[in-house]
Amino acid sequence: MKSVLGFAGLIAFALAGAITPADAQQPKRGGTLNFAISAETPHYDCHGSETYATLHFSAPFYSTLVRFNLKKFPEIEGDLAESWTIAPDLMTYTFKLHQNVKFHDGTPLTSNDVKATYDRMRAPAKGVVSPRQATFADIGTIETPDANTVVFKMKAVNASMIEHFASPWNCIYSAKDLAADPNSPRTKINGTGPYVFGEHVKGSHVTGRRNDNYFKKGLPYLDGFRGVFTLQAAAMLNAVQGGQLLGEFRGISPAERDRLVAAMGDKIRIEEESWTLNLLVAFNVEKKPFDDVRVRKALLMSIDRWGGSAGLSKISTLRSVGGLIRPGSPLATPPEELMKLPGYSKNMAASRAEARKLLTEAGVPNLKFVLHNRNLAQPYTPAGIFLVDQWRQIGVTADHKQYDTAPYLATLNSGNYEVAIDFSNLFMDDSTLSLAKYLSFDRSPQNLSRAIDRELDKLYDAHVRERDVGKRKAMIQAFERRVFEQAYQQPILWWHRIVPTHKVLMGWDMSPSHNLGAQLETVWLNQ
Amino acid sequence: MTAITSSAPTAPTSAARPRGVIRDFINQQPLGALSFVVILSMTIAGIFSEWVSPYDPLHIDFAAILQPPSWEHWAGTDAYGRDIFSRIIYGARTALVISLTSSFLGSTIGAILGIASAYFGGWIDDWIQRFMDILLAFPIIVLALVVVAALKTAVLFGIDINLIVAVAIPIIPRVCRVVRAAALTIRVMPYVDAARAAGYSDSRIIFRHMAPNVVAPYLIMFTAFMAQAILLEASLSFLGLGVTEPTPAWGLMLSGNAADFYREAPWMILFPGLAISLAVFAFNLFGDSLRDYLDPRFKV
Amino acid sequence: MLRYTLQRLLMTIPTLIGVAVLVFFMLRVVPGDVVEVKLRGDGGTVSQEVIDSERKRLGLDKPLIYQFGDYMYGLATLNLGTSMWTERPVTEEISLRLELSLQVAIMATIFAVLLAIPLGTTAALMRGTWVDYVVRIVTIGGLSIPSFWFGMLIMMGLLYYWNWLPPITFTPIYVDPIANLTQLIWPAMAVGYRYCAVVARMIRSSLLEVLNEDYIRTARAKGVFEKIVISRHALRNALLPAITVIGIEFAFLIGGLVVTEQVFNLNGIGKLFVQSVSRSDFTLIQGMVMMLAVFYIFVNLVVDLLYAVFDPRIRYG
Amino acid sequence: MLDQQATARTAAPRDAAAAASTATPLLAVEDLHVQFDTSRGVVHAVDGISYTVNRGEVVAIVGESGCGKSVSSLAIMGLLAKPAGKVTKGRVLFEGRDLLKLSADDMRAIRGREIAMIFQEPMTSLNPVLSVGEQIKEPLFIHLKMTEQEAQARALELLQLVGITDGARRLEQFPHQLSGGMRQRVMIAIGLACNPKLIIADEPTTALDVTIQAQILELMKDLSRRLNIALIIITHNLGVVARYADRVNVMYAAHVIENGTADDIFLRPLHPYTIGLMRSVPRLDLPRGIKLETIEGLPPDLRSPPLGCRFAPRCPYRLDACIQADTMLRDIAPGHGTACIRADEIVAGTLVQALPPAKPVATAAAKEAAAEPILKVEGMRKYFTVPLSGSGVFSSKIATVKAVDDVSFTIAPGETLGLVGESGCGKTTVGRTVLKLEEPTDGTITYTGVDITHRNAKQMRELRRGIQVIFQDPYSSLNPRMTVGQIIGEPLRVYKLVKDKKEEEERVAGLLRQVGLFDYMAERYPHQLSGGQRQRVGIARALALEPRFIVCDEPVSALDVSIQGQIINLLEDLQERLNLSYLFIAHDLAVVRHISDRVAVMYLGRIAEVADRDDLYADPKHPYTKALLDAAPIPDPRVERARAPRALKGEIPSPLNPPSGCVFHTRCPIADEHCRREIPQVRQIGPRHIVACHKA
């Protein structure tokens, strides 16, 4: 959808830390922001990471080429790029960089650094981890005509390419550092971001201080920040309530929200939005009886999504009923359409009766299996508890087994499971990102149903190259229907992001993804 | 002092008059008897959970989440609207099954190793004791965590075997030490010498003559480690490494989102914690009383 | 004495080797390692090649026996390796957290011992009275109440009645003693209760035993003041077994902090341990277990030496 | 309850006539009652006893275990175990003051200052963590408010007084560095510290070896005389009483049943119990009788004592009146009281028969001539290794204890070889090695001509039936978890000597009767039996396999005197009937003399002397044998008075570090340089008399 916007004309944004009218007050300078990071990153390398733990840690120290404008999501705005042009055939992307950008070590940033950064992501040197190689596989060459211009020449059309350029994980590194040690970003931070790395006390906190040479004049407002690792939700809540931390930017559960509101009254600000995350349930089609579509379908049909949404939304981060695309986003299937799909009916009595019938037909009326789940309190455990309860109601016994992440992943990789709860973490709504998970197992190893379905692959490939919005939408819906009819895997519920911040904290932007907006350069303290 | 020693013979009360023994125990150890009543009622609650508990412990009722204690829900409801009292009753089953099996396993293996170590002596003793040294160098929960980390969960009859193993292993060396010490004093008892002089086989001496006489320390250790095991299981579950939801288990009820509700639903923390404490307390007190009762040293 | 100490130290080597071997192979029983957890984060796609290359980098692709050899060689050269998660030296990871845990442990010890001696002594002297019963119930309570639950109750109470909570990040005591103590006094109490109970019970029972000894009767027959009989004759003997318990419990306190540190969000050894277990960070787990084992053995040695200092039977044995 | 007037009389003590002349006694115990609340009921441990002690006098309280003698002395000192024990009635007048009415602090001021006490166990009666000096000085500081220097000087003086020479060094030492005898000397020094008027010694020598016992008693007697300190000696040993006491109180079942001067009690006993007691002890000074007199039955249970005379159930002379009402202690002669209603008949000599003169018994020589030895031990050695510091596999520092060093002897069928020696001499190890409970380090053991030295457990099995054992401690030698029937029946089953359950029961019943027990006792557990009964069960178990040879390891030393005689008689009976051979291990010379045909004396792992019984006792050749016989007290004041004071000097050396040459040379009165250098060989000096001494 957004790519279509790009197609409509050459759009250039020149935004440099502009203050929108919403922030009526004049920002104040100074102060240190203490905030919670509910996980601790193992390393500092954005490229090599898939977790917000790294972003919330590293993003304030870095810049990207372009990024999402959180005030007008999903619009794109420039970060290091002062402006950019996209060729009408979507085969060339040209970025003009800001002048006088300096790395924290004092060296000036040039187009070479951008090229080195993208080369590292698309074709990493030996020993460098880059999970986004496939995303940038369509890039043919990267040219640097001058120090402030970078030109990306594509090998093939990717309708969503500009969104991928806006990915928060594309931190721009120094070419010099990478030349010295391609893995230096893992342990050393040298960016162009609003903050300069202070210290990282393992298991405790990370600090950053204002980058006085930041290329966006007047920013950041804060003298610095301290991100405190709070692995226990209770500890985080206590600290927020006690005023030791001013916010948690990933998202908390409704119960936690209620507690903060009850305890703090009007001192706390709560912002909510649906989240670009969902939990899935996947059936391993390689295991009997889950090779039988009736069994899979029966299990999906017996899940009361609408009821579950109402209940779980009170106690967990799960909330929205949705298909493969985040509900509420432009490409999403609307609820009335959704209800026609298996597993989304509101008439649960009928659905469950049907489910029982299907099971009986399949010869497994008293099905028993193990539901493999990850051992995380939010929202894996509630999802597991919920599913076990739902299946109990059609006479199916699911043994809920929760593991630590490593053995959990190992089990999933081994294929030695029947039913598993899986997770889809997106940073935007673009369908090329969100549908990839459902491709045939041989193309998408993260497809936990391990199904091979060439029809799905065909639909996906066509839609990636398709530039017409209407046709594209139809293809997405066909894809979705196919996935649900075959009942390989299905989102249980989409998440709901609730971010608590103290009211003194200003200038922070809410968005549907916790991976975005972690640079903190516009944040200020009203005290 | 001779009058006193002779009036309290060292030999423990015999199995010949069980009724007398029970009455004796109640008279001498009223607290112990009381704790036994607690254990008994817990056991009954565990065995007959289906009949005793007012609700289905797994039943989710989103209409009734986080309800404070009331006549309908004696201990309130949790975040899923499940009845906490029912979950505590079912939790007794989980706690007892895991602690009983692991404590039995640990104490029995420990006792057998201890007796063998004491009886055979020499290199067998040396090797067993070296191995126990190794196990003893781990703090209990660390050893359990390593075992949990090492073994994949393996469910048998709805019980996590590896959790039992994890709880049992730290018990082994501790029981082994105590039983070995007890067995060593028995090993040099003239009646064991008499048995050896009569030419009885090693197994006969170990099982007929030595084992019955380490029953007292064994029983004491067994009950003490029942308490330990309940505590350990609760700790592991609290850390998210033990029993998994939705199985009702006390430690588990304290973890997860229970702590999120300090203010709204303190009963979510209060009652399961009380259940653990009461159970462990009862076993500790009972073990204590049993020791006082069986160990004549402090008898007047 | 020196010779004895050295001999004791030498004797710990086989035990330590045993611990090392046991931990290494136990951890290798399960599939799954730190690599995927690290790379996949909250899900997402990582190709097998990437995973493999990372495994290779960490040396996890080598046959087990080579890994074991490397590990043992590392131990022999006092090198605990690097954490697979953070890729920093294990010793660095541990030493970062050691100060906090050690301080909590020491505070808990002081708290426990200071309380346990009068508690245990009173109970023994007033044996069979209601005082004894109360002490008995309070101390068994200490053994029974899970420290993490006790910690939760403390937090709940602080929040409820004072709407106040201890600081969330650690400040060393030499930087700001007040901030430091207000953070650590609560977990010290939470774990100290159990510790105190164990020591008080030991003192009670060993004092009872000692009070039955003939030499106590001798002291009384000499006309020694009852106070001196207790303090000089009985307690001095009764505290000897208590030293063992204080020592062993101190060594194991670090283990007990595993759960309690979670509750108080303390950046200590216990929390690190749970984290490394849930991340399958084998080298860090091994390193910490080795450290705890060495610590335990060291404390045992100190206890033995203390015994030798306090007990003439050993000093001149 | 008791005749109050009986307490008012004062007997004329032999040695302290001056003190006796004063009107009030130093200590007067009047109608003292003590009871203990136990979980099994109230024990009336002392039930109305009265006695007096005059200044400078030695008074003995004699009785078997559980009769209340120790409890009464603790009650005087206010040291009863609280809260179980309490004085319920009576007065304890010390110089006219009632000690029982004193406040706790006043009583404390008397303890250690006016009255001192010495306890039985020197090993445990001193505080292990305080130095000897600290413990001796403590009462000096408390009672006499001495300065450190004064106390140090006094402590040195005290050590000299109790015969410890290098006092300055000893004061720095800790109790565990001293031997048992030395510790008891320290205890006495502590008792003497503040010049008390009265010392109560509760079994002061029971835990000590006979030669050390003599040293300690000699010392106490001497000090009492020199310092004019009154002494209460509490003991079960009649020999000790005869030797040292001026006056004697005999206690039985919480009562004093007879009192009088030592001569009165030993020469003219007036109570059937006292008489029985005297006759049931084997004596060194009288010819050996065929049988010991015994007192059948057991003392009453003090939780519910019988209504009448407490000795009545066991008394051969009881009347109906004895059972119906208790008899008060009354004076028969001046200063000689008894609680027997038939005392007059006893005085008249019409009730109790005089002992018949002892008949000589068959000598060992006759027996041995009959057959080849059933057991032959040649050059047996048994060394133990003891880790010195540290333990386990990795420790290298090890010391060797030569528990048995080159021991040889033979035992003929039907013969009893007595093996005597003090603790640590290796006699028990000899027994255990013969039983193959220990593997000999060297030497050969031949049983009925078969070499069993290196037989393993399996090969031993067939021979096991012939060799059995009876242990010392009747409490620990029976498995408390098995019934008597199971204990006795087990060997029958294991060796398949019985076909079925019924036959087993019959055999068990037969064995029970054979040892003087009843059939129904098969159902009982050991703790339900008395010590003597248990020992009988132990004997029955040994007999079950129909052995030819039994090792008796101190079978009577844990038993009370009146029970001891029963067991000895039983063993003799059985030997006669079943033609058994015994290796009889004991430390009591009189008992060994009574039961043995031949006697071997051991010292520090070596044989000192072996001879026929009469030969050995009449004409001991080894100085150690002589010393042992000298040291053994004899329950007859006349004999004792006639014996010169004697005590073997010095302590028994540690077996870890035995002396060079003759192991006895450090204590031997006749040792010379030669003895120090060379180990004496065992020499034949008579037809059946061998000795290991250069001088013999």
Side-chain angles (χ1 to χ4, degrees), chain A residues 304 306 339 344-349 351:
Chain A
D304 178 7
W306 305 97
M339 274 183 252
Y344 288 86
S345 169
K346 280 201 164 170
N347 183 352
M348 280 321 291
S351 280

Side-chain angles (χ1 to χ4, degrees), chain A residues 128-400:
Chain A
V128 172
V129 176
S130 173
R132 271 166 285 277
Q133 287 178 57
T135 312
F136 295 114
D138 288 339
I139 295 174
T141 57
I142 304 173
E143 291 163 14
T144 52
D146 63 58
N148 291 320
T149 312
V150 196
V151 181
F152 292 83
K153 295 257 167 79
M154 307 300 291
K155 284 189 290 199
V157 169
N158 183 331
S160 308
M161 200 61 216
I162 192 68
E163 275 82 10
H164 286 294
F165 279 124
S167 157
W169 273 287
N170 302 346
C171 300
I172 304 296
Y173 295 148
S174 152
K176 169 183 62 90
D177 290 351
L178 294 180
D181 172 11
N183 258 330
S184 73
R186 293 178 73 86
T187 51
K188 222 181 86 192
I189 291 183
N190 182 26
T192 54
Y195 296 93
V196 179
F197 178 67
E199 61 165 356
H200 174 201
V201 177
K202 297 283 172 48
S204 176
H205 62 270
V206 57
T207 62
R209 55 176 195 280
R210 187 197 346 253
N211 176 7
D212 291 323
N213 294 323
Y214 189 48
F215 67 94
K216 296 177 188 173
K217 285 297 154 233
L219 294 179
Y221 298 120
L222 295 172
D223 290 340
F225 69 84
R226 173 197 282 250
V228 177
F229 309 124
T230 50
L231 270 58
Q232 290 291 102
M236 179 268 291
L237 280 186
N238 292 340
V240 171
Q241 183 180 334
Q244 295 182 37
L245 300 177
L246 294 183
E248 202 275 354
F249 301 132
R250 177 176 179 266
I252 60 174
S253 75
E256 293 163 348
R257 169 199 63 200
D258 295 346
R259 178 178 152 198
L260 286 178
V261 170
M264 301 176 65
D266 60 355
K267 274 165 56 191
I268 193 92
R269 176 199 300 122
I270 302 290
E271 291 172 274
E272 305 195 15
E273 199 160 347
S274 75
W275 207 338
T276 54
L277 305 175
N278 68 53
L279 282 193
L280 306 100
V281 54
F283 305 105
N284 185 353
V285 300
E286 290 171 0
K287 297 272 177 189
K288 284 198 180 294
F290 300 97
D291 55 342
D292 188 334
V293 67
R294 289 172 299 186
V295 176
R296 306 197 299 260
K297 217 164 158 178
L299 292 176
L300 285 187
M301 289 177 76
S302 60
I303 302 171
D304 178 7
R305 286 193 167 68
W306 305 97
S309 164
L312 288 172
S313 66
K314 293 183 205 158
I315 55 161
S316 76
T317 51
L318 296 171
R319 171 179 281 186
S320 319
V321 182
L324 299 185
I325 308 288
R326 177 172 68 97
S329 71
L331 288 174
T333 314
E336 58 278 9
E337 287 292 313
L338 213 51
M339 274 183 252
K340 294 173 191 160
L341 292 169
Y344 288 86
S345 169
K346 280 201 164 170
N347 183 352
M348 280 321 291
S351 280
R352 291 199 175 119
E354 172 74 10
R356 280 176 199 272
K357 212 180 86 195
L358 282 173
L359 285 180
T360 316
E361 279 173 23
V364 281
N366 298 313
L367 185 59
K368 265 186 102 155
F369 58 85
V370 175
L371 172 65
H372 295 263
N373 196 0
R374 192 173 166 189
N375 190 4
L376 280 184
Q378 275 298 353
Y380 287 87
T381 306
I385 294 172
F386 174 64
L387 286 183
V388 169
D389 180 60
Q390 294 297 302
W391 289 329
R392 248 159 57 98
Q393 299 184 33
I394 57 163
V396 170
T397 312
D399 236 327
H400 188 214

Side-chain angles (χ1 to χ4, degrees), chain C residues 2 6 10 12 40-41 72 111-112 136 143-144 153 178 190 200 213 252 256 271 292 294 309:
Chain C
L2 184 70
L6 284 176
L10 272 178
T12 62
R40 290 186 53 181
M72 290 308 276
F111 168 80
R136 190 171 171 199
L143 299 183
S144 311
L153 290 184
I178 305 241
E213 293 285 348
F252 281 169
K271 196 166 107 178
L292 290 174
V294 168
V309 170

Side-chain angles (χ1 to χ4, degrees), chain B residues 97-119:
Chain B
V97 166
I98 290 179
S99 55
L100 198 76
T101 41
S102 53
S103 180
F104 174 74
L105 214 67
S107 309
T108 308
I109 295 176
I112 290 172
L113 288 177
I115 295 181
S117 208
Y119 181 75

Side-chain angles (χ1 to χ4, degrees), chain A residues 64-84:
Chain A
T64 54
L65 213 43
V66 289
R67 63 182 188 186
F68 287 97
N69 178 349
L70 300 187
K71 294 196 165 60
K72 298 175 192 160
F73 188 81
E75 272 181 25
I76 309 270
E77 63 179 13
D79 191 5
L80 278 175
E82 203 167 21
S83 65
W84 66 95

Side-chain angles (χ1 to χ4, degrees), chain C residues 27 64 117 120 145 151 184 191 198 204 219 230 236 271-272 282:
Chain C
L27 288 176
L64 206 54
I117 292 178
I145 294 175
L184 298 189
V191 291
V198 172
R204 176 185 180 270
I230 301 302
R236 254 170 99 158
K271 196 166 107 178
L272 183 66
F282 296 153

